[in-house]
Amino acid sequence: MSNQNNTEKPEAKQEFTITVYTENQIGLLNRIAIIFTRRKINIHSLNTSPSEIESIHRFNIVVQETEDVVRKLSRQIEKQVEVLKVYFNTNDDIIWQEMALYKVPTDIIAEKASVERLLRENGARAVVIRKDYTVFETTGHREETDALIRILQPFGLIEFVRSARVAIIKNSDGFNRKLREFEKAEPGEDVVENEYLNKGQRIFTM
Amino acid sequence: MEIEQQALSNPTGVETIEVSGSVALLEALIAEGTEVIFGYPGGAIMPIYDALYDYKEKLNHILVRHEQGGIHAGQGFARTSGKVGVVFATSGPGATNLVTGLADAMIDSTPLVCITGQVFAHLLGTDAFQETDVINITTPVTKWNYQITDATEIPEVLSKAFYIARSGRPGPVLIDITKNAQIQKFDYSGYTPCNHIRSYRPKPLIRNEYIEKAAALINQAKKPFVLWGQGVILGEAELEFKAFVEKSGIPSAWTILGAGAIPTDHPLNVGMLGMHGNYGPNVLTNECDVIIAIGMRFDDRVTGRLDKYAKQAKIIHLDIDPSEIDKNVQTTVPVWGDCKETLPALTALIQQKTYPEWLQKFRDFEQKEIEAVINDELHPASGELTMGEVISHLNELTHGEAIIVTDVGQHQMVACRYAKLNKTRSNVTSGGLGTMGFALPAAIGAKFGAPERTVVAVIGDGGFQMTLQELGTIMQSNIDVKILILNNRFLGMVRQWQELFNQHRYSFVDIESPDFVALAAAYRIKGKSISERGEISSSLKEMLEHKGSFLLEVMVTKENNVFPMVPQGCSVSEIRLK
Ligand SMILES: Cc1ncc(C[n+]2csc(CCOP(=O)(O)OP(=O)(O)O)c2C)c(N)n1
Ligand SMILES: [Mg+2]
């Protein structure tokens, strides 16, 4: 086996979702963001939210990059003092959703009965119906929320917005047990697990 | 005040005492064993300086001339002492003047705790006088930073700051304290040092299976090669490293920040890596079969062109920072951990060996380098003086016992290549950032970190002019540093590149200097300037024997080049001797 100084075949870029468990600390978002901007990598989607554990925050970051780069980014994120753990996954490893809102003129929608059916087919529901406009909501994958834009465009789509991605790792036991390990002065193997030892698992972890 | 301090030094009881945030800060510094603070006052840090007035007996504060000088001094102190350097600066311009030093300390893993004053909390975000968003400016160049707006946070945050700065892979920490928090009184119940942060794993758990794999690889290697870096020194693992090298019998080469971890004269020390490193270590990187990289990070100045770097070799990488593994060079066996622990574990599993033929290859290349480069550099028979011969004479006088602080440029590379170092923590240089102006202030700190040792700052005529204001600090605080200016009347290193790669088009590298000896005299520092071969040794002797600081300027030949050299974009084995 010879080493490959990362230079032979350039790996293909693909979508990765990075999940970061952190302390709830002001300034941490910036610390994490600059790890991407420093390498001139665009963050496609970023969500911060509480996790299953009070006081522990969870970031979901989506980038389009090679696995090699994502691994390096993840290690540099995990190195930050207030970061507990980083996982990175391909779309196959996760269950993910994005929510989108669409504002359309109510009169047009009311006129055309077909719209009603189109919306139903796309799993959209009305959140607000006013005389002047109606707001629909749909939740799903990027292709689904994108498809609805195209569908609503001919009916005078006034406004569109999509949320960041939220993702759950299929093959994860959550963070409760891990956190207890972190709180110990001498944490067990679990906390310092590394990908070399976890080759068999589907989750890439640091 | 007396009574107050007595109570403070007894934090065991539950009783509390009312103190200001500033007092709590100074108590934290004392509890952490702070020996010296390099600082500069200003409006937003005045309450801390006011408290310091009563702590003059307990805390030694050195007034620098510029905050950049302060932070480089803190770095010099940390590098020679192994302790955390402490730096004070005011808000706004005081804090922004620290940025170069923070970046330098970050890339060279130097433990620092910098305290900056900040405007009152209620003024944050209002563009108040001397308000700068220091936390955001310094985020990329600190291991950790934090803004304190309430005095009650001070003891805990300071204990975290020191713990983070010194543990794991060390680095700079900046704590920004708003003025109201410095003034605010609170019930202080003593200082508890921090030794655990749940989100922070300074040391990975050691994995024996990797130690075993690494040992197996080493035991079957025919041409193994050790590359060591500052990690050995930061991990205080010099003895463990020496034991490993001696049992394994493997030729070992160093990065400039690793220099001195084992003595220059050690029979298995085959020299310096990198762009201006030695011939053998560079060429044979592409011939060895196993590389054992210890506490080094495969910096591009060390590896040259990556896709032609050690492609034939298997790589064992020992590092405490997991993000370094596979960052630049793909590892065969990663050995995460503190080398103070991983090295003895590895030593136990390897066979006692020698590689006489393989080692001889290094010596053969060394001979070629001596003939092609080193002889002319160290022992020129005629012509103008060379930088190398000055360092060579210095070696004879210090016997390798001095601390050599270098600035950045040709003189740095010459000093790193030729300075004899018997002891660890003897080479203080700006490696990762290459910060001109580093040496003079760093030498000040280096002296505080190792007061019993001789400190020689080797500086170029260009770099000296970047921070020469610190002569004022040397004067006022009576600091014994020997300043050796190697004056080639050029920004030599840039000139060398312009000569070699830009067809001799010397674009703004011709730099004029003032009369450095007169300048030193203005600061009441004794000085001398020489340009004759016969004067070198006697003048260096005069400098070294002089009580107190001394500036010696040596006029050296203008257009010498530092060789060998791995030109940028070339492989290490394409190293040029001329
Ligand atoms: C702050 C800073 N500015 C610019 C440089 C780029 N630089 C690297 S070496 C060098 C020349 C240094 O000249 P001098 O101090 O005279 O040392 P010499 O190379 O002549 O020994 C310059 C300008 C730098 N490293 N640091
Ligand atoms: Mg010069």
Side-chain angles (χ1 to χ4, degrees), chain B residues 387 408-411 434 436 460-463 466 488 490-494:
Chain B
M387 292 182 175
V408 170
Q410 291 185 314
H411 64 282
M436 281 174 74
D461 46 320
M466 282 209 173
N488 55 9
F490 265 122
L491 298 174
M493 186 56 90
V494 180

Side-chain angles (χ1 to χ4, degrees), chain A residues 36-98:
Chain A
F36 294 85
T37 52
R38 170 184 186 198
R39 289 176 182 250
K40 208 164 182 222
I41 290 172
N42 194 14
I43 294 178
H44 287 225
S45 155
L46 185 152
N47 186 76
T48 77
S49 86
S51 72
E52 59 274 23
I53 301 163
E54 211 193 318
S55 83
I56 302 284
H57 263 233
R58 177 178 176 140
F59 288 59
N60 271 147
I61 303 165
V62 181
V63 290
Q64 181 82 20
E65 266 305 330
T66 65
E67 184 179 326
D68 184 51
V69 168
V70 173
R71 176 175 296 111
K72 287 174 188 173
L73 291 167
S74 300
R75 286 187 181 168
Q76 286 178 339
I77 296 168
E78 190 163 283
K79 184 167 145 180
Q80 304 308 315
V81 171
E82 276 123 358
V83 171
L84 288 113
K85 200 93 193 112
V86 180
Y87 301 93
F88 60 92
N89 299 96
T90 59
N91 288 347
D92 290 341
D93 302 332
I94 56 171
I95 292 156
W96 60 277
Q97 295 282 282
E98 291 166 350

Side-chain angles (χ1 to χ4, degrees), chain B residues 181-260:
Chain B
Q182 300 170 33
I183 298 165
Q184 181 194 339
K185 301 258 179 162
F186 73 107
D187 290 334
Y188 176 75
S189 58
Y191 184 80
T192 318
C194 171
N195 57 23
H196 177 68
I197 297 170
R198 71 175 180 185
S199 59
Y200 172 59
R201 292 271 76 80
K203 287 189 205 175
L205 205 76
I206 291 162
R207 303 286 195 161
N208 273 325
E209 53 269 53
Y210 288 101
I211 307 255
E212 283 159 18
K213 278 186 200 163
L217 214 48
I218 293 170
N219 286 335
Q220 69 196 29
K222 300 276 178 301
K223 296 193 239 172
F225 187 21
V226 167
L227 319 179
W228 91 82
Q230 195 192 197
V232 172
I233 298 169
L234 293 170
E236 298 177 354
E238 293 91 344
L239 291 178
E240 291 81 358
F241 175 61
K242 189 157 168 275
F244 169 77
V245 169
E246 288 175 355
K247 183 172 180 193
S248 71
I250 302 175
S252 304
W254 39 275
T255 72
I256 60 170
L257 289 186

